[in-house]
Amino acid sequence: MAKTTTQYVCTECGWTGGKWFGRCPECGQWGTIEEFHEARVVGAGGSLSTSGGSHTAPAPPKNGLARPITRVGTDQVKRIPTGFEEFDRVLGGGIVPGSVILLAGEPGIGKSTLLLETAGRVADLGDQEDKVLYISGEESQAQVRMRASRVGALKDSLLLASTTDLATVLGLIEREKPALAIVDSAQTIVSSQVDGISGGSTQVREVAISLIDMAKSHDIPILLVGHVTKDGSIAGPRTLEHLVDVVCQFEGDSQTALRLLRAVKNRFGPTDEVGCFDMGEQGIEEVSDPTGLFLSTAGQEVEGTCVTFTLDGHRSLPIEIQALVTSSVLPTPRRNTNGIDANRLAMLAAVLYRHGRVNLLTRDLYVSTIAGGLAKEPGCDLAIVAALASAAKSRPILRTTCAMGEISLTGQVRPVPQLNHRLQEAARLGFTRALVPPDRHSGGRKPIQGLEVIEVTYLAEALEALGLV
């Protein structure tokens, strides 16, 4: 006999309680408490066991007794390669058996395409007995097959199913016992054991718990697709991100081909790695060296441009800043930006006027990056100011010159993290001059072959070194 208990769950932080509140007592958000009906099934011996809507009782742990941690071996754990070196690097070396990986991203960014290609490559790299199961709750089998044909993922060992019922999903995984299971997506799968609409917090929570139980008890890795809300956060209760082992964000601009894969949470590897991919007509291709993506191909010096180097994970990427300065006919001059923080631009224009003697306060300013690159870290300030001064004075900066440094309100050029790593990347790409802040270490900066490093303390010194005074 099954009984039903009523609990209240916060969709923002995952708080649970037996009483409804207008404001969550844990995170303080208003209107996030929803009613959740949890089924409790009478187990053996007449005791009540909470199922939470699970359709199969979880298998007992492989080791019923506790052991010293020093005697727990990991030699048998062999990661599964995804077929993408960039994907493997973000995951920490591949997919860990029994893990649950949540991949989230904007609609149309390419989540399903990436996972379908991953399924095809895992099926191609594995043994003939190993199967990969792709379960789609958003598309029919024919639709997925058409996309698989386009991206070259047609493999005999790749099994395809289309369903939105959680019991059917769990039954397929348990019966087929694949080397990898992909569920697309968590918001479309529905359990008949709990109340709530498809994609609601109660349904998403139940689907996640059931899939995690299946992955841990059968040692089957599961890749789970997640939707995002308007503000970019993962849809569903916050506990969804806490329950899974790995959370990855697939980012990019729908108007450009560049896609970035970031690990927001990773129990088996680092969280500061970034994978670069290129979305094309034949699917997704990995980009092992993305250094040339954010630079223009102009062969001559052009006024209003300057190159800087940003850090994205362990990678140092060159970003070209382009600035356009025109006379304004409006009472309030325009400040249009793309890839740069608009408030930061307004502050830098004021600092440039006060400490660089370049008056841009009454002129229209347009500042942008190349190919959707982001130059929002403070280390890009010096390059932004240099591009503005170059555009205002109609004097180009040599294309072999780069600038890195944070600009304070007093006009001081402040240090940036991992500067030596950025300089080494600049030298590798053929840059011969670099404007940087002074070295804070007493031992001095080690010379880099082929790169002249010019240390500047104040903004006026930097403009003089660039010939913009």
Side-chain angles (χ1 to χ4, degrees):
M1 181 179 65
K3 296 183 178 181
T4 301
T5 60
T6 301
Q7 289 188 345
Y8 297 91
V9 181
C10 175
T11 59
E12 184 68 22
C13 67
W15 172 87
T16 58
K19 183 180 178 181
W20 183 87
F21 293 93
R23 182 179 184 182
C24 175
E26 182 70 22
C27 64
Q29 296 294 325
W30 290 92
T32 59
I33 306 297
E34 294 185 1
E35 187 175 344
F36 175 72
H37 296 283
E38 186 174 19
R40 307 188 71 194
V41 184
V42 178
S47 60
L48 288 174
S49 60
T50 302
S51 68
S54 298
H55 303 273
T56 57
K62 296 181 179 180
N63 299 315
L65 299 177
R67 294 185 297 167
I69 192 172
T70 55
R71 296 186 181 181
V72 178
T74 59
D75 297 336
Q76 302 298 326
V77 179
K78 184 179 180 182
R79 293 178 181 259
I80 303 173
T82 63
F84 289 106
E85 294 183 1
E86 294 291 294
F87 202 171
D88 290 339
R89 191 162 53 81
V90 172
L91 295 177
I95 302 174
V96 176
S99 63
V100 178
I101 302 170
L102 177 64
L103 179 65
E106 296 285 343
I109 204 68
K111 303 183 298 295
S112 300
T113 303
L114 175 63
L115 293 186
L116 186 58
E117 285 196 53
T118 300
R121 297 193 180 199
V122 172
D124 193 29
L125 294 174
D127 299 333
Q128 294 182 354
E129 295 80 8
D130 295 336
K131 294 174 290 186
V132 177
L133 178 60
Y134 188 98
I135 302 174
S136 176
E138 301 179 351
E139 301 173 284
S140 65
Q141 292 182 342
Q143 291 174 325
V144 178
R145 204 270 185 195
M146 291 173 59
R147 191 169 72 252
S149 177
R150 177 173 57 86
V151 301
L154 295 178
K155 308 295 178 182
D156 292 335
S157 55
L158 175 57
L159 306 181
L160 179 62
S162 180
T163 180
T164 58
D165 181 60
L166 179 60
T168 305
V169 171
L170 298 177
L172 286 170
I173 298 176
E174 187 173 11
R175 183 176 70 250
E176 300 296 341
K177 291 182 172 56
L180 173 65
I182 298 175
V183 180
D184 184 8
S185 63
Q187 281 74 21
T188 58
I189 307 300
V190 180
S191 171
S192 59
Q193 301 296 316
V194 296
D195 296 334
I197 62 174
S198 174
S201 59
T202 56
Q203 287 289 349
V204 172
R205 180 171 179 262
E206 173 62 21
V207 169
I209 293 175
S210 301
L211 290 176
I212 290 172
D213 287 341
M214 177 62 66
K216 304 302 180 184
S217 59
H218 292 80
D219 207 25
I220 298 174
I222 296 178
L223 284 170
L224 186 62
V225 178
H227 297 171
V228 296
T229 58
K230 291 186 295 184
D231 60 355
S233 60
I234 300 177
R238 192 70 175 179
T239 51
L240 176 62
E241 301 174 51
H242 292 287
L243 291 173
V244 298
D245 300 307
V246 182
V247 179
C248 292
Q249 286 275 4
F250 203 43
E251 305 171 354
D253 190 351
S254 58
Q255 298 180 357
T256 62
L258 178 65
R259 300 291 186 268
L260 298 178
L261 181 66
R262 305 177 187 272
V264 181
K265 170 189 175 182
N266 193 351
R267 290 174 177 166
F268 315 113
T271 57
D272 54 358
E273 289 287 358
V274 178
C276 295
F277 297 86
D278 182 61
M279 176 70 78
E281 295 181 357
Q282 303 300 324
I284 291 180
E285 297 180 359
E286 56 185 345
V287 181
S288 57
D289 188 8
T291 53
L293 294 176
F294 307 112
L295 297 177
S296 63
T297 58
Q300 59 183 2
E301 286 79 15
V302 181
E303 60 188 43
T305 65
C306 186
V307 177
T308 187
F309 283 80
T310 64
L311 283 180
D312 207 336
H314 287 296
R315 279 181 165 159
S316 178
L317 300 177
I319 301 291
E320 181 175 331
I321 310 294
Q322 294 188 345
L324 177 64
V325 178
T326 62
S327 300
S328 178
V329 296
L330 301 175
T332 303
R334 294 179 178 177
R335 301 287 187 266
N336 289 357
T337 62
N338 183 23
I340 297 170
D341 184 53
N343 295 327
R344 194 79 180 175
L345 174 61
M347 185 200 75
L348 292 176
V351 174
L352 187 60
Y353 168 67
R354 176 65 177 81
H355 300 284
R357 300 293 185 261
V358 180
N359 188 2
L360 303 177
L361 301 182
T362 59
R363 307 180 73 176
D364 291 337
L365 304 182
Y366 303 88
V367 183
S368 178
T369 58
I370 297 294
L374 296 179
K376 295 185 177 181
E377 68 164 313
C380 302
D381 290 350
L382 187 56
I384 296 174
V385 169
L388 288 171
S390 173
K393 294 181 176 293
S394 300
R395 298 178 188 174
I397 299 175
L398 295 177
R399 293 190 59 81
T400 56
T401 299
C402 60
M404 291 159 278
E406 178 184 355
I407 304 294
S408 66
L409 292 177
T410 60
Q412 184 182 6
V413 182
R414 297 184 52 80
V416 296
Q418 299 188 30
L419 179 58
N420 189 61
H421 182 51
R422 306 181 196 224
L423 293 175
Q424 291 178 351
E425 184 66 17
R428 187 183 73 86
L429 294 179
F431 287 85
T432 58
R433 296 178 68 214
L435 270 68
V436 299
D439 189 14
R440 294 178 296 178
H441 301 87
S442 58
R445 180 177 288 110
K446 295 181 180 180
I448 299 177
Q449 185 178 2
L451 183 65
E452 179 188 3
V453 179
I454 303 175
E455 296 184 350
V456 291
T457 306
Y458 294 98
L459 174 60
E461 299 178 19
L463 296 179
E464 183 179 357
L466 293 172
L468 300 176
V469 178

